[in-house]
């Protein structure tokens, strides 16, 4: 049921409409309104993996505000400019360590696929997360682009 999250236009800076009744960009298998939608709207992520998925979704819909809010203050950039020509397609979680409901830190290894005018690409990253004041935050990551 997505009645709690009606269809809404994309917030300023988004590159596409957000439809709570459509599959979530993270491709976990749920609709947006029951998956990453509540997290982008302000609900804390229960795990580091959930935060990782919601951050991928934020990249996919262009929600720079969410990306900055969920970035650890010690490593967060002052601003974030997303490439409007890059369309994020899907994310595959490869491995997680820690990052559960009772952990204070964790890592998530993933591959994210994208398309841009020059063709398709993928980004492989092992991200580090830390719980701060009860909320998961992205700290940093080791990135490989193929």
């Amino acid at each position: 049921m997505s009645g709690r999250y009606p269809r809404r236009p994309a917030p300023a800076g988004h590159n596409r409409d957000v439809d709570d009744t459509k599959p979530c960009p993270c491709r976990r298998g749920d609709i947006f309104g029951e998956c990453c939608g509540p997290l982008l709207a302000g609900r804390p992520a229960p795990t580091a993996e959930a935060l990782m998925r919601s951050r991928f979704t934020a990249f996919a819909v262009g929600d720079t505000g969410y990306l900055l809010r969920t970035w650890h203050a010690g490593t967060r950039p002052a601003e974030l400019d997303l490439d409007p020509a890059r369309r994020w397609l899907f994310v595959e979680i490869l491995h997680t360590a820690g990052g559960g409901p009772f952990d204070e830190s964790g890592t998530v290894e993933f591959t994210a696929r994208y398309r841009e005018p020059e063709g398709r690409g993928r980004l492989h990253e092992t991200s580090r997360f830390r719980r701060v004041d009860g909320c998961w935050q992205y700290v940093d990551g080791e990135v490989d682009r193929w």
Side-chain angles (χ1 to χ4, degrees), residues 16-52:
R16 67 183 179 105
D17 283 345
V18 178
D19 185 339
D20 291 335
T21 66
K22 300 291 183 191
C24 188
C26 84
R27 291 201 180 174
R28 191 181 80 184
D30 295 329
I31 62 171
F32 178 76
E34 295 175 2
C35 191
C36 293
L39 302 181
L40 271 65
R43 182 182 298 165
T47 64
E49 180 181 342
L51 182 63
M52 175 61 243

Side-chain angles (χ1 to χ4, degrees), residues 56-92:
F56 171 84
T57 295
F59 273 101
V61 301
D63 190 342
T64 56
Y66 181 78
L67 293 166
L68 291 169
R69 284 191 308 278
T70 58
W71 207 313
H72 189 276
T75 58
R76 177 178 50 230
E79 59 184 53
L80 183 62
D81 294 318
L82 301 181
D83 182 351
R86 180 172 287 173
R87 177 148 174 92
W88 292 97
L89 303 172
F90 65 92
V91 65
E92 179 184 9

Side-chain angles (χ1 to χ4, degrees), residues 82-116:
L82 301 181
D83 182 351
R86 180 172 287 173
R87 177 148 174 92
W88 292 97
L89 303 172
F90 65 92
V91 65
E92 179 184 9
I93 305 299
L94 304 173
H95 179 74
T96 62
F102 304 107
D103 295 319
E104 294 301 316
S105 64
T107 60
V108 179
E109 179 185 3
F110 68 93
T111 299
R113 308 288 176 142
Y114 60 88
R115 182 177 51 228
E116 53 192 6

